[in-house]
Amino acid sequence: MADSESMAVKWKEEIEKSLAEMSELRERLHPVDFSSNLWETYRGAYGDVREDVAFLFCPKEIMPEMEKIRRLDFEEKGDDQIDFDNLCENLSHQLSFYDATYLAMPYFVLLLEKKRREQDFNWQFQIIMQAGIILSTNIPYEGMEENKEWVAPEVMESYLLSIDILREMTKEFLKQNMDKIKKMGSMDLQYFCTANLAIFLDSQAAFQLLIGNWEQCPVCCPECEYFDEDMDGDGFYDEELIREKVEPAPSVLGEWDGESFEDIDTYVWFCNLAHMLGIKDEWKIPYYYGTYTCPECGSKGVLIEWMKES
């Protein structure tokens, strides 16, 4: 008992020491303290996430043994990686939004700053990718504004500021590490590219790409309410089907300089980022942003926009 109590004290001391290294950013973000009861209210898929968040900042030499939430993950991993994976699963299970995200996102930014100072490329890549996936789940829905009223103003302020800072840090990461990023695995690159879409410009479009794995295209005509089951079931599995129903948007490759983010068109930016990263499915983007024709009534609209409304 004494050993467990002494370890708890040690963990708390070391976590606080680690966070103190980012005191300026921490003061700016003003994240909810781990002693707050708010962690019991803002919960993840599996409950209170405060321990998962706190142990992000614990030196891995003294980390407790972690048990994977993802039972089918058979890869050998350190306890620090398992803790991070568990937190991400808690915040994005089945691509649903969980209130704990409001409390956790400022700590994601603090962890990103910590890994930036350590010049740890792989961790920075992971944090940005997972943060974007989690942000993609926070999409508008009917009654959302009224629902947000229960979120404490200071919590919402910290959350929104963390997203602003995440954007700036991600810009720098892209500028400084593009060559390294291109060498990542194809699946990670596709997730990373989609996560960037959520972070910078369009979380709803990112959500649609993620939930359909860049393959399925659930689309419902806003004019006649026809739901295209062929597009939902076959989508990009059947290229002929796509080409019959969607006129692709024109090529815009070369129209983004790779650095500016002011007044940038989403399609232009996303096409060029995917091309720069060598995303294998980049050819699909002009179709997602192309003109879909409803086979029932003949109405036309941008495929991704209709998908977002489906």
Side-chain angles (χ1 to χ4, degrees), residues 164-212:
D164 287 341
I165 296 173
L166 174 64
R167 290 189 184 112
E168 294 306 311
M169 295 177 76
T170 303
K171 287 178 190 177
E172 288 302 309
F173 182 74
L174 288 170
K175 287 179 184 179
Q176 296 172 10
N177 298 282
M178 187 59 77
D179 288 340
K180 285 185 178 179
I181 294 170
K182 291 176 182 178
K183 295 176 182 176
M184 300 300 285
S186 60
M187 187 59 70
D188 280 344
L189 274 175
Q190 192 148 306
Y191 277 120
F192 181 78
C193 188
T194 315
N196 272 261
L197 179 61
I199 291 168
F200 287 114
L201 290 167
D202 194 339
S203 62
Q204 288 178 275
F207 177 80
Q208 288 297 331
L209 292 173
L210 287 167
I211 204 165

Side-chain angles (χ1 to χ4, degrees), residues 7 18 109 140 266 270:
M7 281 306 300
S18 180
V109 172
T266 301
F270 193 44

Side-chain angles (χ1 to χ4, degrees), residues 236-251:
F236 283 103
Y237 294 110
D238 186 342
E239 292 181 26
E240 290 185 9
L241 174 69
I242 288 290
R243 293 188 173 103
E244 285 176 3
K245 296 187 177 183
V246 184
E247 180 183 350
S251 173

Side-chain angles (χ1 to χ4, degrees), residues 46 66-75 82 85-86 89:
Y46 302 93
M66 296 288 176
E67 185 176 338
K68 294 178 181 178
I69 289 178
R70 298 169 180 165
R71 301 292 185 184
L72 297 180
D73 180 1
F74 300 113
E75 184 182 344
I82 295 172
D85 289 352
N86 287 350
E89 177 66 14

Side-chain angles (χ1 to χ4, degrees), residues 99-160:
D99 300 328
T101 298
Y102 291 126
L103 305 187
M105 195 53 63
Y107 285 102
F108 267 78
V109 172
L110 286 166
L111 183 64
L112 181 56
E113 173 61 14
K114 177 178 172 62
K115 299 304 181 182
R116 184 191 68 81
R117 294 183 183 189
E118 295 171 357
Q119 298 183 337
D120 192 322
F121 167 81
N122 288 323
W123 264 106
Q124 290 178 77
F125 182 90
Q126 279 191 73
I127 295 163
I128 291 169
M129 180 173 67
Q130 293 298 335
I133 290 171
I134 291 164
L135 289 175
S136 78
T137 66
N138 194 6
I139 56 178
Y141 57 86
E142 187 176 352
M144 183 178 190
E145 291 307 313
E146 293 82 354
N147 221 27
K148 278 185 176 179
E149 290 180 0
W150 71 272
V151 180
E154 63 274 18
V155 171
M156 184 60 73
E157 182 180 355
S158 179
Y159 170 70
L160 294 176

Side-chain angles (χ1 to χ4, degrees), residues 16 21 24 30 36 99 107 128 131 150 167 194 198 207 217 221 241 245 268 285 309:
E16 182 55 39
E21 295 172 3
E24 185 176 339
H30 198 64
S36 172
D99 300 328
Y107 285 102
I128 291 169
W150 71 272
R167 290 189 184 112
T194 315
F207 177 80
C217 307
C221 176
L241 174 69
K245 296 187 177 183
V268 171
I285 299 175
E309 298 299 322

